Amino acid sequence: MSHLSLYSQWMTLFFMTVSGATLGVVYDSYRVVAHQLRFPRWSLPLFDVVYWLAATWFVFQMLVKGNQGELRFYIFLGLAIGAYAYYLLLSKATVSIATWIVQAAKAVVTFLLRTLYVVIIVPIKTLGLFLLAIARFVLRIAIFLGKLVLKCTQPLWWLVRWLFAPLVVPLWNRWGMTERVVRWWTGLLRRIQAVSDGYKRVKNQWRVLLNKIWKWIRPTK
């Protein structure tokens, strides 16, 4: 029985030593990720709390496997030995490896985003600019033709206005058409302005989002 008890104690010490080293690996990796991905400062205390809760649960699980969850002095000794040995032997290597992994992942994400931009965004943007140029060209032609038609038919309009003005003007004034036209035109201008403002807001928000993504994925010096 004493041999089994001694074996159990040594196994518990071993598990606690491994736990201390594991917690060191996880903590260094977490710090590297937080630094490389530029976590907001206000979020770091929250992640620290999550880390320590997870660490407590992990140590308890290891303790249950070692000696059914009984607390002994050598448990804390094993944790301290594992953490200190990790700090002396593996901490720098872990930080370097974690940094390389995060930077490699960021490089892959950057490549995918740039590929997406070149393959999808650029053609859509080019097509949109091309269609916009065509629309502007057609609009200018339509305006030119409209002005030309109005210029050519201006004498006819003068004749029609001279003939029908005595009949149309009283009805126009009675129905308040001037105010209606002004209200309609003002509303149309407001809608156009609202659409323009909405487009500018969406464009600015998209630009801000792209800048945030770029700041998030760019390499950290």
Side-chain angles (χ1 to χ4, degrees):
M1 181 66 67
S2 60
H3 175 72
L4 181 61
S5 176
L6 182 61
Y7 172 79
S8 177
Q9 292 177 9
W10 278 107
M11 288 302 299
T12 302
L13 180 63
F14 171 75
F15 281 136
M16 291 302 101
T17 303
V18 173
S19 298
T22 303
L23 293 180
V25 172
V26 174
Y27 186 78
D28 279 343
S29 301
Y30 150 65
R31 283 299 182 182
V32 168
V33 172
H35 176 68
Q36 290 291 324
L37 300 186
R38 302 173 182 271
F39 285 6
R41 290 187 177 181
W42 60 265
S43 66
L44 295 180
L46 177 62
F47 284 111
D48 288 340
V49 171
V50 173
Y51 166 79
W52 286 113
L53 290 176
T56 302
W57 178 84
F58 173 74
V59 171
F60 177 75
Q61 293 298 320
M62 297 295 288
L63 187 60
V64 169
K65 291 182 179 180
N67 66 345
Q68 290 76 44
E70 295 182 4
L71 289 177
R72 294 290 186 271
F73 169 74
Y74 55 82
I75 292 173
F76 302 100
L77 179 63
L79 288 173
I81 292 174
Y84 187 68
Y86 163 78
Y87 176 76
L88 291 180
L89 302 176
L90 299 175
S91 180
K92 292 183 179 180
T94 300
V95 171
S96 299
I97 294 173
T99 301
W100 180 85
I101 292 175
V102 174
Q103 290 182 351
K106 290 167 64 176
V108 172
V109 173
T110 303
F111 173 76
L112 293 177
L113 289 177
R114 289 179 178 176
T115 302
L116 179 66
Y117 180 80
V118 172
V119 174
I120 298 179
I121 303 300
V122 171
I124 293 177
K125 185 177 180 180
T126 303
L127 179 61
L129 293 176
F130 177 72
L131 294 177
L132 182 60
I134 293 178
R136 289 178 177 176
F137 178 73
V138 172
L139 181 61
R140 289 178 181 177
I141 292 179
I143 293 174
F144 172 76
L145 293 177
K147 290 182 178 180
L148 182 62
V149 170
L150 290 176
K151 196 70 174 179
C152 295
T153 58
Q154 189 173 11
L156 179 61
W157 286 111
W158 286 345
L159 178 61
V160 171
R161 186 176 62 179
W162 179 75
L163 291 175
F164 292 97
L167 298 176
V168 175
V169 171
L171 295 176
W172 181 278
N173 294 332
R174 178 179 297 179
W175 292 342
M177 294 302 296
T178 302
E179 291 78 6
R180 293 184 181 182
V181 171
V182 170
R183 287 197 300 268
W184 175 83
W185 182 252
T186 303
L188 179 62
L189 292 179
R190 289 178 179 175
R191 292 188 184 94
I192 294 175
Q193 185 64 36
V195 172
S196 177
D197 294 341
Y199 169 76
K200 291 180 180 179
R201 285 195 299 269
V202 172
K203 182 179 179 181
N204 292 333
Q205 291 175 358
W206 178 252
R207 183 177 299 172
V208 170
L209 178 61
L210 290 179
N211 290 334
K212 288 183 178 180
I213 293 176
W214 172 245
K215 290 181 180 179
W216 179 68
I217 63 177
R218 69 180 180 181
T220 303
K221 296 182 180 180

